[in-house]
Amino acid sequence: MPDTPSEPAPAPAPVIVGDEPGAFPHGVLAERHPAIIRQVREAFPYGPERQRALDALLTSCLDGVIEPLPAGADARDRDRWADWGMDAYAGRSWFDVPWLWAESHFYRRLLDAVGYFGPGTWQGVDPFRPAKLAELDAPETDEELAALDGLADLPADDRTRALLHGSLWGNRADLGFRLSDSGTGTEDRVPALVADDSDTLWSLLPPAGRGTPGPRTLCLVADNAGRELVPDLLLVSHLLDEDRVDRAVLHLKPYPYYVSDATPADLLDALRRLIGAGGAAAVHGERLWAALTDGRVTVRAHPFSCAPLSYADMPGDLRGEFAAATVTVLKGDLNYRRLVGDRWWPPTTPFADATAYFPGPVAALRTLKSDVVTGLSADTEAALVASGEQRWRTSGTHALIQVRR
C-alpha cells in the first residue's frame, strides 16, 4: 500500500499548456510537430490523397484549431476520444488546451492523415518505422550490445546496477553499461542523476529467498522503441535470471505514438536484434523469447496507453493490474508526465504525494525532457538553478530514479 503522506497532498499545480512563445511546449507544437509531418511525408511514397491530408494537418497545426476525429471505419475510437475530452477541446487552438492532450491528439490525427486505421494501401503501416529501424540497426547499437559481454565479469550487484542505468538512460545506454557514480551534469558538478531511489526499488525486488515468498510480478510500462527498448528488455531478462521477479508484464502502445514509442511490432524487432547480435545479447534475447512463449513475460497494449490523460484517470482493469503487481516501473518522460500529472509542480513536491493515487508500489525511470519534475531536494533544485543551465528540465542531460512503496 502507498505510504501515508506526512502532510496533506498538495493542491494541483497549474496544467502545462503551450501558449507561451519561446517556451518548450510552444516549440513542440509550433516547430516539432510540423517537422514530423514533413519527415513522415518524405519517408513514404504517399499518393495525392494522403499528401493532401498531411498538408491539411500541417495547416491545422500552424494556423487552425483542433478538429474532431472523422466518423467512419477509420475512427473506431471516436467515442473513446469523446470520453477523453474531445467535446471540451474541439474548436480551440492547439496552443490553448493542455499540452499533453494536444500532443497526444496530434499523433492520433497524424495516423488518420496517413491512412493507418482506414481501409487502403497504408492501413497498419507504421509511419515512424523507417526511423525506428535505422536506430536499431545503427553501429552504436552493435557497440552497446557488444558491451554486454563484459558484464558477466562484474559482481552481481554491479551488473544489476549497470543494467538499471542502461534502462534509465535509454539511447545513452553506453553510459549505463559502465560503472560510475552519477556522472556530472554541469560545470558546478550538479549530478546527472538528480534523484536516486534505486535502493528502495531493489528492496521491492530482492533476489529469491530474501523477500516475501509468492509470485512477484513486475509491470514495466515501456517508452521508446529501438535503442531505448533494448536496454529495458535486458533489464527484464536480468531480473528474471536473477530470480528477482517471477513474471513480467510489458505494457506497450497499441498503435504508433509519439514517433518512437514501442508497439508489439517494435518488441519483435528488438528481440530479433538481440538474438542476431550473438554473445550475451543473444542469450538475453533467447531467454526473453522463451519467457514470452511460456507466459513468464506477457505483453499488454491497453488503449489507455495512448490516452491524453494522467494515470490518475486510468480505467478499473488497468488499476487492478497495477494494484496486483509487486511494483510498476514507468519508463521515460511521457510516462512520467502521465504519472505525476503534466503540471507546473514545484520541483520539491514530494514524489510520494504526486503519486499517492497510484494503486500499488510505483517507480519512475526517466531522463528529463520536459518541464514537469517532482521529488527533488531543495539543495538539488538550488544547485540546478545556480548552475546556469537554462534547459536542465528539457535537455535530457539529467535523469531520476524515483520510487513510492
Side-chain angles (χ1 to χ4, degrees), residues 221-287:
V221 183
D223 186 32
N224 292 328
R227 289 172 61 205
E228 296 198 36
L229 181 59
V230 165
D232 294 345
L233 296 177
L234 295 174
L235 179 61
V236 170
S237 170
H238 177 73
L239 295 177
L240 288 169
D241 187 51
E242 292 287 311
D243 289 326
R244 288 178 180 266
V245 299
D246 300 302
R247 61 187 298 267
V249 183
L250 295 176
H251 284 260
L252 306 175
K253 301 300 190 295
Y255 50 76
Y257 191 58
Y258 275 72
V259 180
S260 56
D261 280 28
T263 67
D266 299 319
L267 169 63
L268 295 177
D269 287 336
L271 288 173
R272 293 188 178 108
R273 184 70 168 90
L274 284 171
I275 293 170
V283 172
H284 283 286
E286 290 164 357
R287 180 184 298 132

Side-chain angles (χ1 to χ4, degrees), residues 306-332:
C306 291
L309 305 173
S310 162
Y311 274 99
D313 300 310
M314 76 181 89
D317 61 332
L318 202 54
R319 179 176 291 274
E321 189 166 332
F322 291 151
T326 304
V327 62
T328 298
V329 175
L330 289 95
K331 272 297 310 297

Side-chain angles (χ1 to χ4, degrees), residues 16 35 56 73 78 82 140 143 167 178 205 217-218 245 247 256 280 290 292 333 374 379 388:
I16 296 175
R78 195 166 187 261
E140 292 84 355
E143 296 171 7
S167 177
R178 61 175 173 81
L205 298 173
T217 299
L218 166 71
V245 299
R247 61 187 298 267
L292 283 159
D333 194 80
T374 67
D379 287 346

Side-chain angles (χ1 to χ4, degrees), residues 68 83 86-87 112 126 130 227 274 320 346:
D83 292 339
M86 178 59 74
D87 292 344
D112 274 339
D126 184 347
R227 289 172 61 205
L274 284 171

Side-chain angles (χ1 to χ4, degrees), residues 299-312:
V299 178
R300 291 271 274 148
H302 197 286
F304 191 77
S305 294
C306 291
L309 305 173
S310 162
Y311 274 99

Side-chain angles (χ1 to χ4, degrees), residues 33-400:
H33 287 179
I36 289 169
I37 294 172
R38 298 183 185 105
Q39 290 166 4
V40 166
R41 180 171 179 161
E42 293 171 0
F44 288 89
Y46 293 121
E49 180 183 2
R50 295 293 135 219
Q51 292 185 43
R52 286 192 295 270
L54 288 167
D55 287 342
L57 180 58
L58 179 61
T59 299
S60 174
C61 289
L62 295 174
D63 307 311
V65 298
I66 294 168
E67 299 176 3
L69 294 176
D74 57 347
R76 291 164 292 178
D77 55 354
R78 195 166 187 261
D79 290 344
R80 186 178 296 133
W81 273 90
D83 292 339
W84 289 346
M86 178 59 74
D87 292 344
Y89 299 135
R92 296 175 60 182
S93 167
W94 294 86
F95 299 92
D96 293 336
V97 305
W99 181 45
L100 175 64
W101 199 97
E103 276 198 289
S104 297
H105 187 61
F106 165 77
Y107 287 102
R108 179 59 185 82
R109 292 305 304 269
L110 181 60
L111 293 183
D112 274 339
V114 299
Y116 182 88
F117 292 110
T121 304
W122 303 104
Q123 186 177 37
V125 176
D126 184 347
F128 311 124
R129 184 169 173 77
K132 293 176 178 178
L133 291 179
E135 182 182 278
L136 196 59
D137 294 337
E140 292 84 355
T141 306
D142 290 321
E143 296 171 7
E144 290 162 4
L145 294 180
L148 288 169
D149 294 337
L151 292 185
D153 298 329
L154 296 177
D157 287 347
D158 289 346
R159 187 166 59 249
T160 298
R161 179 177 176 275
L163 289 168
L164 176 66
H165 280 246
S167 177
L168 170 66
W169 286 105
N171 62 9
R172 290 177 59 190
D174 56 313
L175 296 180
F177 288 147
R178 61 175 173 81
L179 292 181
S180 64
D181 285 329
S182 340
T184 55
T186 71
E187 295 177 357
D188 292 322
R189 303 194 176 211
V190 179
L193 192 58
V194 296
D196 185 5
D197 295 338
S198 52
D199 287 345
T200 304
L201 177 61
W202 298 134
S203 74
L204 292 167
L205 298 173
R210 299 188 198 172
T212 304
R216 296 156 301 162
T217 299
L218 166 71
C219 282
L220 191 145
V221 183
D223 186 32
N224 292 328
R227 289 172 61 205
E228 296 198 36
L229 181 59
V230 165
D232 294 345
L233 296 177
L234 295 174
L235 179 61
V236 170
S237 170
H238 177 73
L239 295 177
L240 288 169
D241 187 51
E242 292 287 311
D243 289 326
R244 288 178 180 266
V245 299
D246 300 302
R247 61 187 298 267
V249 183
L250 295 176
H251 284 260
L252 306 175
K253 301 300 190 295
Y255 50 76
Y257 191 58
Y258 275 72
V259 180
S260 56
D261 280 28
T263 67
D266 299 319
L267 169 63
L268 295 177
D269 287 336
L271 288 173
R272 293 188 178 108
R273 184 70 168 90
L274 284 171
I275 293 170
V283 172
H284 283 286
E286 290 164 357
R287 180 184 298 132
L288 290 165
W289 194 281
L292 283 159
T293 302
D294 65 27
R296 285 176 296 140
V297 175
T298 56
V299 178
R300 291 271 274 148
H302 197 286
F304 191 77
S305 294
C306 291
L309 305 173
S310 162
Y311 274 99
D313 300 310
M314 76 181 89
D317 61 332
L318 202 54
R319 179 176 291 274
E321 189 166 332
F322 291 151
T326 304
V327 62
T328 298
V329 175
L330 289 95
K331 272 297 310 297
D333 194 80
L334 173 60
N335 283 324
Y336 189 86
R337 292 164 59 191
R338 298 186 66 196
L339 175 63
V340 303
D342 203 31
R343 296 174 176 273
W344 289 108
W345 295 114
T348 55
T349 302
F351 177 73
D353 289 356
T355 59
Y357 72 89
F358 204 84
V362 63
L365 304 182
R366 177 231 184 174
T367 55
L368 277 63
K369 297 179 182 177
S370 65
D371 289 301
V372 63
V373 64
T374 67
L376 301 189
S377 70
D379 287 346
T380 297
E381 182 193 9
L384 286 163
V385 172
S387 72
E389 185 184 2
Q390 298 298 317
R391 297 177 60 246
W392 65 266
R393 292 174 180 256
T394 61
S395 64
T397 56
H398 299 282
L400 54 80

